[in-house]
Amino acid sequence: MRLEERGERGLVEIIKKLWKVKSEWVEEGIGDDCAVLKNGFIFTMDSFVEGTHFYYEVYPPYELGYMTLAASLSDIAAMAGEPLCFFLSLSLWKDLPEEWVTNLLNGMQELAEKYSCELAGGETVAGDEIAITIGVLGRAEKPVRRKGRRIGDYVYVTGIPGRSYLGRLALYNEIETELVMCHLRPEPRIREARMLVERYTITSMIDVSDGVLIDLSRLEGEGGIYLESSLFPTDPEIERLCDVFLEDPVDVFLRGGEDYELLFTSPDEIGFPWVKKIGVVREGEGIYIDDKPTEVKGYEHFC
Amino acid sequence: MRLEERGERGLVEIIKKLWKVKSEWVEEGIGDDCAVLKNGFIFTMDSFVEGTHFYYEVYPPYELGYMTLAASLSDIAAMAGEPLCFFLSLSLWKDLPEEWVTNLLNGMQELAEKYSCELAGGETVAGDEIAITIGVLGRAEKPVRRKGRRIGDYVYVTGIPGRSYLGRLALYNEIETELVMCHLRPEPRIREARMLVERYTITSMIDVSDGVLIDLSRLEGEGGIYLESSLFPTDPEIERLCDVFLEDPVDVFLRGGEDYELLFTSPDEIGFPWVKKIGVVREGEGIYIDDKPTEVKGYEHFC
């Protein structure tokens, strides 16, 4: 069987099943946003490949650096951790201008500075395809897992997912809107996640990388998730761009992706203004929107 | 300026100079085999790209898995550490057979089992080029650095560098020899490194990835390195293949690469049979072979 028939999830399942060697240093291995190590360390690794995740012609290197590090730090946020340092492997064309690399690094540095996150090592290799792989080492006293929701929990989201997707469409079509910056400079919700766990009980959490629906489907625990579309956050600029691109705002919210907002469940009424309740956990299975079962679709590699 | 004019070393220097953000969690950042973190953790990240490091048609996936993980674990050995777990990012063709991936993983697993080194996370993405990025988390009570040699130290090497280089030539030319396995299944010298530091004073150490000469030039400390070519280890199979390929055994020893043997300095007389003395550290600068100064050449990316 070829990988495109398996899809990314299928491939990860195969690897998970095949791998037998265990280490006493790993508390939680493959399957969550980060691996959880002994002593409260967490680690995540992400790759960004030209032609799959970005296009050389479209993405300014400074923003590409910011964006790729933000995506990686977001995995640390999804476990309510803090980043300590990161590692960078760059596969680059031989004839790439040096300036491209320094701009990429400077974009990463702007973001890294906010968290005192040092570039501690890595590698540069020559290749025919630009590829950026980032590994982040972080720390979380009580890492929040993807698994753990209970019947009666509420489902919450930070910010307004969908903005990044519309921003990308605008970027590709050279339309001016503030949403382009939501795509190019997403903020990993590191501080927000820590504020949440300090004040409330968070039973499960994930960040929105592939889209609200597909990322919600990766949460595990009791019952099913019942979303109410009238509760989905939106704003006038989203409405305007949905008109321009003939997109449906509810669809954009559910299937967008790359927002790096947090999706989580909690039994508490959350009082932060940047958090919106979008549903509840009830008896059942799967994900429902306005009481109708929904098919999970979003971005998946190899498909 | 384009990257090919800079070379890999030049690029790493630029990144080192450009990066300002520091973390209190990093004791030693860019520039050694591994980053050294607080609490004795060490971390290394390596990438292997199709067309640059290997060819799909030539390398059986099982051996490729073994080889790439061995190269990564070797960085842990070079600091006299022990591996704890690793992370894997795979960029793969969509139409790659699933079996290729399971064989790759099984090859890694054979090696990982020796060290209870768990695959703790990572990512799979679709790309037009196969790329394997491996991050290894390890631990070293007293990590041996690249810097630290003293005047009067001896220069040592484990095993017989050059075997992997000739093994690669034999593999490409379909010539039968045991050296092919030296190339495809190198052994990271993790146990050897720990035996060395337990018994002797090791003042600096590195592993042979790009070739004895270029890797020796990366060691820092007092004086110059004076090698004596009559001391270089060799064996009959090396002599035989050097005849076949019209290569010079001394050149093969000095410029081969991918052996993952250890190069190190010590003031002690080392008594292990798998260690050979190849030179001394004396007043001076640079590397001398039989008292003649030598130009450092070996494999460098982007050149």
Side-chain angles (χ1 to χ4, degrees):
Chain A
M1 195 175 276
R2 317 242 142 212
L3 297 186
E4 59 204 333
E5 297 163 64
R6 277 281 179 218
E8 192 185 357
R9 265 197 218 207
L11 182 57
V12 171
E13 278 311 310
I14 289 165
I15 294 174
K16 239 173 126 171
K17 223 182 247 174
L18 176 157
W19 196 266
K20 310 272 180 231
V21 177
K22 293 284 170 199
S23 163
E24 47 161 349
W25 287 85
V26 178
E27 280 192 11
E28 172 112 21
I30 304 168
D32 217 308
D33 293 293
C34 300
V36 181
L37 309 168
K38 265 201 181 170
N39 303 352
F41 281 99
I42 57 179
F43 189 86
T44 178
M45 192 147 104
D46 285 289
S47 288
F48 307 89
V49 179
E50 180 206 346
T52 301
H53 296 88
F54 63 90
Y55 294 91
Y56 178 77
E57 295 75 17
V58 179
Y59 288 76
Y62 190 98
E63 271 70 29
L64 187 64
Y66 195 102
M67 186 174 123
T68 51
L69 183 59
S72 302
L73 294 183
S74 180
D75 282 330
I76 300 287
M79 293 204 123
E82 53 163 345
L84 304 177
C85 60
F86 77 102
F87 303 86
L88 178 64
S89 171
L90 292 174
S91 177
L92 303 168
W93 307 333
K94 284 183 187 187
D95 60 352
L96 204 61
E98 186 183 308
E99 213 190 354
W100 191 91
V101 184
T102 56
N103 281 332
L104 183 89
L105 264 289
N106 279 327
M108 289 183 174
Q109 189 150 233
E110 182 186 331
L111 179 61
E113 202 159 17
K114 296 185 196 170
Y115 306 103
S116 304
C117 186
E118 184 171 342
L119 172 59
E123 201 185 24
T124 57
V125 299
D128 290 333
E129 215 171 53
I130 300 179
I132 302 165
T133 299
I134 298 174
V136 188
L137 187 74
R139 206 176 49 142
E141 271 166 54
K142 285 183 196 160
V144 180
R145 312 288 171 102
R146 290 185 178 180
K147 187 175 181 168
R149 70 163 181 257
R150 314 273 288 266
I151 302 276
D153 280 356
Y154 301 112
V155 182
Y156 292 100
V157 70
T158 64
I160 309 179
R163 301 182 104 209
S164 174
Y165 170 75
L166 292 171
R168 191 175 65 214
L169 284 188
L171 175 71
Y172 282 47
N173 291 282
E174 295 177 21
I175 288 173
E176 259 187 58
T177 161
E178 71 203 45
L179 299 196
V180 168
M181 275 303 149
C182 298
H183 179 62
L184 291 178
R185 297 208 189 188
E187 280 307 312
R189 299 299 179 195
I190 289 169
R191 282 170 193 150
E192 289 82 352
R194 290 168 66 82
M195 285 166 76
L196 283 167
V197 294
E198 271 162 30
R199 193 123 150 220
Y200 301 104
T201 300
I202 310 298
T203 50
S204 66
M205 187 152 68
I206 192 169
D207 64 320
V208 184
S209 54
D210 295 334
V212 165
L213 215 46
I214 199 165
D215 289 315
L216 270 181
S217 78
R218 290 171 176 151
L219 291 180
E220 288 173 54
E222 295 178 6
I225 288 174
Y226 293 77
L227 303 178
E228 214 174 297
S229 63
S230 64
L231 298 176
F232 296 167
T234 186
D235 69 17
E237 192 60 8
I238 287 184
E239 306 284 341
R240 185 180 80 84
L241 283 173
C242 277
D243 282 349
V244 171
F245 294 118
L246 302 174
E247 294 268 2
D248 170 45
V250 168
D251 218 50
V252 162
F253 172 83
L254 287 172
R255 303 183 207 278
E258 296 177 315
D259 295 288
Y260 306 111
E261 298 292 350
L262 298 171
L263 279 167
F264 61 96
T265 54
S266 169
D268 301 330
E269 289 287 348
I270 309 278
F272 293 126
W274 36 270
V275 168
K276 279 280 275 182
K277 188 189 287 178
I278 57 169
V280 292
V281 178
R282 287 208 306 260
E283 296 284 353
E285 213 180 311
I287 301 175
Y288 294 75
I289 297 165
D290 302 330
D291 286 319
K292 272 181 256 140
T294 182
E295 214 188 320
V296 173
K297 266 191 209 154
Y299 187 75
E300 201 174 354
H301 287 290
F302 303 114
C303 290
Chain B
M1 194 176 276
R2 319 239 143 215
L3 297 186
E4 59 204 333
E5 296 164 64
R6 280 279 179 219
E8 192 184 357
R9 265 197 216 205
L11 183 58
V12 171
E13 278 313 309
I14 289 166
I15 294 174
K16 241 173 126 171
K17 222 181 251 175
L18 176 158
W19 196 266
K20 309 274 180 230
V21 178
K22 294 282 168 201
S23 163
E24 47 160 350
W25 286 86
V26 179
E27 279 192 12
E28 174 113 20
I30 304 168
D32 216 309
D33 293 294
C34 301
V36 181
L37 309 169
K38 267 201 178 167
N39 300 354
F41 281 98
I42 57 179
F43 189 87
T44 178
M45 191 147 106
D46 285 289
S47 287
F48 308 90
V49 179
E50 180 206 346
T52 301
H53 297 86
F54 64 90
Y55 295 92
Y56 177 78
E57 295 77 16
V58 179
Y59 288 76
Y62 190 97
E63 272 68 29
L64 187 64
Y66 195 102
M67 188 174 122
T68 52
L69 184 59
S72 304
L73 294 183
S74 180
D75 283 329
I76 300 287
M79 293 205 123
E82 55 163 343
L84 305 177
C85 60
F86 77 102
F87 303 86
L88 178 64
S89 171
L90 292 174
S91 176
L92 303 168
W93 307 332
K94 284 183 187 186
D95 60 351
L96 204 62
E98 183 183 311
E99 213 190 354
W100 191 93
V101 185
T102 55
N103 282 332
L104 182 89
L105 265 287
N106 279 326
M108 290 184 174
Q109 189 149 234
E110 183 186 331
L111 180 60
E113 201 158 17
K114 296 185 196 170
Y115 306 103
S116 304
C117 187
E118 183 170 342
L119 172 58
E123 200 184 26
T124 57
V125 299
D128 290 334
E129 215 171 52
I130 300 179
I132 302 167
T133 299
I134 297 175
V136 188
L137 187 74
R139 206 176 49 143
E141 270 165 55
K142 285 183 197 162
V144 181
R145 311 289 169 101
R146 290 185 178 180
K147 187 174 181 168
R149 67 163 182 257
R150 314 273 289 264
I151 303 276
D153 280 356
Y154 302 112
V155 182
Y156 292 101
V157 69
T158 64
I160 309 178
R163 302 182 103 208
S164 173
Y165 170 76
L166 291 171
R168 192 178 62 213
L169 284 187
L171 175 70
Y172 282 48
N173 291 282
E174 294 178 19
I175 289 174
E176 258 187 59
T177 162
E178 70 201 48
L179 301 196
V180 168
M181 274 302 149
C182 298
H183 179 62
L184 292 178
R185 296 208 191 189
E187 278 306 313
R189 299 299 180 195
I190 289 168
R191 280 168 195 154
E192 289 82 353
R194 291 167 67 80
M195 285 166 76
L196 283 166
V197 295
E198 271 163 29
R199 193 124 149 216
Y200 300 105
T201 300
I202 310 298
T203 50
S204 67
M205 189 153 65
I206 192 169
D207 64 321
V208 184
S209 53
D210 294 335
V212 166
L213 213 48
I214 199 164
D215 288 315
L216 271 181
S217 78
R218 289 172 177 151
L219 291 180
E220 288 173 55
E222 295 178 7
I225 288 174
Y226 292 77
L227 302 178
E228 213 174 296
S229 64
S230 64
L231 299 176
F232 297 166
T234 186
D235 70 17
E237 191 60 7
I238 286 185
E239 307 284 341
R240 186 179 80 83
L241 283 173
C242 277
D243 282 348
V244 171
F245 294 119
L246 303 173
E247 295 268 1
D248 170 46
V250 168
D251 217 52
V252 161
F253 171 82
L254 288 171
R255 305 183 206 277
E258 297 179 313
D259 295 288
Y260 307 110
E261 297 292 351
L262 298 171
L263 279 167
F264 60 96
T265 55
S266 168
D268 300 331
E269 289 287 350
I270 309 278
F272 294 125
W274 36 269
V275 167
K276 280 280 274 180
K277 189 189 287 179
I278 57 169
V280 292
V281 178
R282 287 209 306 262
E283 296 284 354
E285 211 180 313
I287 301 175
Y288 295 75
I289 297 163
D290 302 331
D291 285 318
K292 273 182 260 154
T294 184
E295 214 189 319
V296 173
K297 266 191 207 156
Y299 187 75
E300 200 175 352
H301 287 289
F302 303 114
C303 290

